[in-house]
Amino acid sequence: MQQYVNVNIDGAIIRAIRGTSVLDTAIEYGICIPHLCHVPGLTDIGACRLCIVEHVVNGRSKVTTSCTLNVEEGMVILTSTDKIRKLRHNLAELLVAQAPNSRAIQDIAVRCGVTSVRYPFRNADCVLCGRCVRTCTEIWKARAIGFVGRGKDRHVDYPFGIQPEFCKQCNNCIQICPMTITPCNGPMKPGEEYLCGQCESQLIVADETPGSCVWCELGEGFACGRYA
Amino acid sequence: MSPLAIDQILDGRRSQPDQLIEVLHDVQEKDGYIPEEAMQAVSQGLGVPIMEVYRVASFYKAFRLKPAGKNVLTICMGTACHVRGARLLLDQATGQLGIELGDVTPDGLFSIERVNCLGTCALGPIVTENETYHHHVTPGKLRKLIDTIGGQQPEETQHAQTQ
């Protein structure tokens, strides 16, 4: 039997199912928390850090990822304070500098209010969100890909770099990857990266009611939790 | 590594995924590195997916995935050694042996490693050669060291070939 708890997210008292994450609860209720590595149905690992929120405990607030935070009775969560917006802005800026060649990440940058990028563009193919690894492990139970290496050498690879015979070749890892949809103007060449920013018109409503989900089109590129 | 040796290592630890790191340590101790076949056997024996074994083995610096050379040159790149020119030693070693950091020479005699501190900062820069510590090393001393270790063996093999 489902048990319910009452949580306070941005002042709204929400009756949430015990055991769900704060991110899921907020999206269900219509509060927008930008996220990238979260995929409905997969375990959350808090890799992209975009879904950070303030969790107020005894008058002190802790910044933590909402996807790995489970709802509890009497919890107080703030999703769109100045502090959070500033941190999230910086995270989105770092992500877009790492991988500008992704519509999903460009969209997230726009959503988080990034107007210029202070970091050098790296034009990498991966932001280590772990969506492919978790899909392969949890949905397909294949475990054909995984994280290899450590620190700056960490990357997604097959065991020993060779596609194993137990790979089901379902291509789900590619479908779910946020890098597969290029920006609207086509892929960027190394050295010519820019911040797309074309979808800023999407955010007119979002500016008026910060923190609320306005059913923007920005989530399509990375399968925002709302679309599930 | 022979299947028998792996069986010996796995004995009493089969189907215990939590023994993964212990088993990998034992494999490494026996062989000096962890070969692909050993990882496959460990994966089978412990019931851990091969991806998981490879992920763990590649994550920890303590595990080697490639065989080491006969003489392992470990260059300390800690702060004290670094300011005294450990970078030059690394350049000297890679240049003289013609291999990159972490690789083995084609004849299998040398491999170059780096380490972040050996705890003897006052004696830096430090280079260890198979557990033997060489202190206050300069590029010149390192060149002589490599020459003396590597010098004799190639001649011996040449000699053997001519015979």
Side-chain angles (χ1 to χ4, degrees):
Chain A
M1 200 188 117
Q2 275 176 352
Q3 290 182 312
Y4 290 89
V5 288
N6 294 311
V7 287
N8 181 335
I9 302 180
D10 283 349
I13 312 286
I14 300 171
R15 194 156 167 263
I17 301 164
R18 187 189 289 275
T20 55
S21 69
V22 171
L23 178 63
D24 280 331
T25 309
I27 291 171
E28 185 121 319
Y29 190 72
I31 294 169
C32 176
I33 302 176
H35 53 271
L36 177 67
C37 68
H38 167 76
V39 181
L42 299 182
T43 54
D44 290 305
I45 54 170
C48 69
R49 316 308 289 179
L50 276 169
C51 67
I52 48 168
V53 291
E54 273 190 73
H55 177 203
V56 185
V57 186
N58 298 332
R60 293 179 140 211
S61 72
K62 288 189 280 189
V63 176
T64 180
T65 48
S66 59
C67 63
T68 52
L69 187 67
N70 277 0
V71 286
E72 280 164 31
E73 183 64 43
M75 215 176 200
V76 180
I77 302 287
L78 299 167
T79 69
S80 189
T81 57
D82 283 347
K83 184 180 172 187
I84 289 293
R85 275 209 295 273
K86 204 174 153 192
L87 287 169
R88 200 179 278 151
H89 174 278
N90 204 2
L91 287 165
E93 208 174 321
L94 285 163
L95 277 177
V96 80
Q98 173 77 9
N101 239 332
S102 152
R103 196 191 129 190
I105 291 167
Q106 291 276 5
D107 284 354
I108 281 169
V110 168
R111 172 67 189 80
C112 297
V114 178
T115 47
S116 65
V117 182
R118 290 167 289 171
Y119 308 103
F121 283 110
R122 284 196 185 142
N123 209 343
D125 299 331
C126 183
V127 289
L128 298 175
C129 65
R131 283 173 159 224
C132 49
V133 174
R134 281 175 290 148
T135 310
C136 192
T137 309
E138 291 168 25
I139 295 188
W140 296 89
K141 309 264 191 272
R143 293 171 191 269
I145 51 171
F147 286 116
V148 175
R150 180 179 192 176
K152 70 178 170 49
D153 299 323
R154 195 168 191 234
H155 60 281
V156 174
D157 205 349
Y158 295 120
F160 316 110
I162 304 155
Q163 187 171 24
E165 54 198 41
F166 54 80
C167 170
K168 296 176 182 173
Q169 308 197 346
C170 60
N171 279 346
N172 229 287
C173 45
I174 294 166
Q175 281 164 21
I176 208 160
C177 176
M179 301 299 300
T180 45
I181 304 174
T182 57
C184 309
N185 291 346
M188 302 170 188
K189 291 191 185 85
E192 291 176 12
E193 299 91 348
Y194 55 92
L195 185 73
C196 180
Q198 285 180 337
C199 299
E200 237 166 311
S201 59
Q202 285 277 334
L203 293 173
I204 295 167
V205 197
D207 285 344
E208 286 165 6
T209 49
S212 62
C213 176
V214 291
W215 287 80
C216 61
E217 297 298 315
L218 296 183
E220 279 184 343
F222 62 95
C224 171
R226 172 171 58 78
Y227 283 90
Chain B
M1 179 178 263
S2 65
L4 195 73
I6 293 199
D7 277 347
Q8 225 163 30
I9 290 168
L10 284 170
D11 219 18
R13 294 197 276 205
R14 282 177 199 280
S15 305
Q16 294 177 36
D18 49 2
Q19 292 287 326
L20 175 60
I21 289 178
E22 304 286 317
V23 169
L24 288 180
H25 265 303
D26 289 351
V27 171
Q28 161 128 332
E29 204 167 298
K30 202 132 195 165
D31 253 15
Y33 76 112
I34 304 173
E36 199 180 313
E37 307 82 65
M39 274 193 242
Q40 300 277 11
V42 168
S43 158
Q44 293 264 318
L46 298 183
V48 180
I50 183 68
M51 189 66 241
E52 199 68 10
V53 179
Y54 183 53
R55 186 180 68 82
V56 169
S58 69
F59 183 85
Y60 292 105
K61 281 268 170 66
F63 296 129
R64 305 181 58 96
L65 302 182
K66 283 187 248 171
K70 200 174 163 198
N71 304 290
V72 184
L73 291 175
T74 312
I75 298 164
C76 178
M77 300 294 271
T79 316
C81 293
H82 180 84
V83 295
R84 292 188 192 179
R87 193 82 230 168
L88 300 173
L89 297 180
L90 186 61
D91 290 347
Q92 168 69 33
T94 51
Q96 192 179 347
L97 297 170
I99 52 170
E100 287 300 305
L101 185 68
D103 284 347
V104 188
T105 47
D107 57 4
L109 272 180
F110 287 100
S111 58
I112 308 171
E113 301 275 304
R114 57 165 286 174
V115 67
N116 282 332
C117 189
L118 288 164
T120 47
C121 301
L123 301 173
I126 300 272
V127 173
T128 73
E129 165 259 313
N130 287 348
E131 312 285 307
T132 316
Y133 281 55
H134 298 266
H135 61 92
H136 296 113
V137 185
T138 59
K141 279 190 192 171
L142 184 62
R143 183 170 53 80
K144 277 182 203 152
L145 177 70
I146 294 173
D147 280 343
T148 46
I149 304 167
Q152 302 131 9
Q153 277 131 336
E155 277 168 30
E156 275 174 23
T157 49
Q158 259 181 3
H159 189 59
Q161 274 165 6
T162 48
Q163 274 182 340

